[in-house]
Amino acid sequence: MNTPKSLDRPAGPNGNMTRRDVLRVAGAAAIAASCSTLLSTPVRAQADAKRIRFAHPAPTAHGWHLWAEQFKKSIEGKTGGKIQVQIFPNAQMGNERDTAQAVRIGSLEMGAIGVGLMNWVPEMSITDAPFLWKTRAQCWNAISGAFGDELRKRSLDKGFVLTGWTDLGFRSMTNNKHPINSAKDMQDLKMRVPNSKAYIAMMQATGASTVAVDLSELYLALRQGVADGQDTPPSVVKSNKYYEVQKYISKTDHNLTMAYTVTNPKFFDALTPDEKSAFLAACTDANSFLRQYTTKDEAEAYDFLKGQGMQVNLSVDVESFRVACAPVIEKNPDLFLPELVKIARSTPA
């Protein structure tokens, strides 16, 4: 059988390849095969990677998205790309309730939600109790201890692995009618609340009327006058551009907005021990990142909102809100479990 001729060198005197030609061809083939393997390895590794679809209903400037981006960066780095994260913001997978349901049944691996989780885990309402925390540090200490352990257990019992805590900041009051200087200024306002008994009870305690609107629909509701105002942290007013549809903002600090990231239990259980370790470490990284970001952004947001034309009130009679809201926790033990309130308030600040 004739030896194949080289494609890029002349044949020997008899028209066949020389020994040198054969060695050159063989060497080139080996190099080509090696390069092919190297080039295909990342593609194959990516194809074999475990996938996390992470959904949330907020804009990409919102804290939920910032948490997700940091989580993605961290876990992909820690696992060498063996776990890949795809993020779906802006309610692409539905509102909070839709996201929670999808994670619970396993059609999504992971999601960021707030009050939507309380449809399944009503005990989570405790994190929305007005004036529960003296400081942000007290809240984070509680989450790292028995308080957080109890909520993680109750969430798992209802089909969610509670893997992250998104610090969105202390809440403010905004509206379109007049400045809010004390709790009595709430009495003629129709305020948007999330679909949460805890927030409804708190807002009604101030004398305001309420209308429940999902976060993904809030901007439109404010623009159309469905509600006069709402309460979210100044960072959320900034990221969701509520300054375009609200005139007044007051620094009431009545609640530290603590939302959550949840993971499907079957997906989490299927991770190897090393993957679980990387996963939880990435969640901790994202928690720390967002906490630092929110603390800084919260301090700067009021100046930003003032620059956007909002009337900013930093000297609110916060004590009047504290007094008005004081009975809310005691009158709603089904929402704010006394044992959890006790653990929270006894946590060092």
Side-chain angles (χ1 to χ4, degrees):
M1 182 173 66
N2 291 334
T3 305
K5 295 182 179 180
S6 170
L7 298 178
D8 57 1
R9 288 183 58 81
N14 60 359
N16 291 329
M17 296 181 68
T18 66
R19 176 182 173 84
R20 180 179 295 178
D21 292 331
V22 172
L23 291 174
R24 286 181 182 274
V25 170
I31 293 171
S34 176
C35 290
S36 176
T37 299
L38 291 172
L39 290 172
S40 65
T41 297
V43 176
R44 186 163 57 249
Q46 187 168 352
D48 294 340
K50 293 182 179 178
R51 178 182 63 168
I52 295 176
R53 292 163 298 178
F54 187 111
H56 66 81
T60 55
H62 189 278
W64 285 344
H65 195 76
L66 301 180
W67 192 101
E69 287 184 320
Q70 181 62 34
F71 172 76
K72 172 182 170 67
K73 176 182 177 182
S74 182
I75 196 168
E76 290 181 358
K78 292 177 187 298
T79 64
K82 292 181 180 179
I83 295 180
Q84 297 281 324
V85 180
Q86 186 176 7
I87 305 171
F88 298 90
N90 290 308
Q92 292 179 37
M93 297 295 183
N95 60 26
E96 287 188 45
R97 185 184 177 92
D98 298 329
T99 300
Q101 174 70 349
V103 171
R104 189 168 184 264
I105 66 176
S107 56
L108 279 173
E109 288 75 34
M110 201 171 183
I113 55 177
V115 298
L117 184 59
M118 295 164 199
N119 290 292
W120 291 272
V121 194
E123 299 91 337
M124 297 301 297
S125 295
I126 184 65
T127 62
D128 290 330
F131 298 104
L132 179 65
W133 310 111
K134 295 178 181 178
T135 64
R136 179 180 259 112
Q138 184 184 31
C139 175
W140 279 92
N141 288 338
I143 286 169
S144 299
F147 179 85
D149 290 342
E150 184 64 26
L151 293 181
R152 281 183 281 269
K153 177 183 179 299
R154 291 173 183 267
S155 296
L156 186 58
D157 289 343
K158 299 299 176 62
F160 302 93
V161 181
L162 183 55
T163 48
W165 305 77
T166 57
D167 182 338
L168 301 178
F170 283 99
R171 295 175 90 89
S172 60
M173 296 285 187
T174 75
N175 82 102
N176 267 332
K177 295 185 72 173
H178 54 68
I180 296 173
N181 298 303
S182 67
K184 67 179 182 180
D185 295 321
M186 302 291 296
Q187 294 180 9
D188 65 336
L189 296 177
K190 180 171 61 175
M191 298 292 288
R192 171 268 176 181
V193 290
N195 188 17
S196 159
K197 292 180 181 179
Y199 276 103
I200 292 171
M202 184 277 297
M203 198 65 75
Q204 290 180 346
T206 69
S209 61
T210 60
V211 55
V213 178
D214 190 81
L215 180 71
S216 61
E217 301 169 350
L218 179 52
Y219 182 96
L220 185 61
L222 294 172
R223 190 176 71 180
Q224 294 181 341
V226 173
D228 299 318
Q230 59 86 49
D231 75 313
T232 52
S235 296
V236 176
V237 177
K238 173 185 172 183
S239 66
N240 292 22
K241 299 185 178 181
Y242 297 149
Y243 54 82
E244 296 178 347
V245 290
Q246 296 278 269
K247 295 179 182 178
Y248 307 97
I249 182 168
S250 295
K251 188 178 185 296
T252 50
D253 289 352
H254 52 280
N255 175 272
L256 179 60
T257 307
M258 191 59 58
Y260 334 97
T261 62
V262 292
T263 304
N264 177 265
K266 289 184 179 180
F267 170 80
F268 185 78
D269 289 344
L271 297 176
T272 67
D274 286 346
E275 289 170 343
K276 285 181 181 177
S277 178
F279 184 101
L280 295 174
C283 288
T284 298
D285 288 347
N287 286 345
S288 299
F289 169 82
L290 186 60
R291 179 184 179 186
Q292 293 172 13
Y293 175 89
T294 299
T295 301
K296 181 176 183 294
D297 192 56
E298 184 180 291
E300 299 172 348
Y302 286 107
D303 285 338
F304 172 86
L305 297 172
K306 184 177 181 180
Q308 297 299 315
M310 292 192 79
Q311 293 189 31
V312 176
N313 182 4
L314 302 180
S315 301
V316 182
D317 180 6
V318 175
E319 187 60 25
S320 69
F321 281 92
R322 193 185 306 276
V323 170
C325 294
V328 173
I329 294 178
E330 284 72 22
K331 287 183 177 180
N332 295 277
D334 57 325
L335 297 176
F336 313 118
L337 298 184
E339 58 266 37
L340 291 177
V341 173
K342 182 178 180 179
I343 295 172
R345 288 180 167 168
S346 63
T347 301

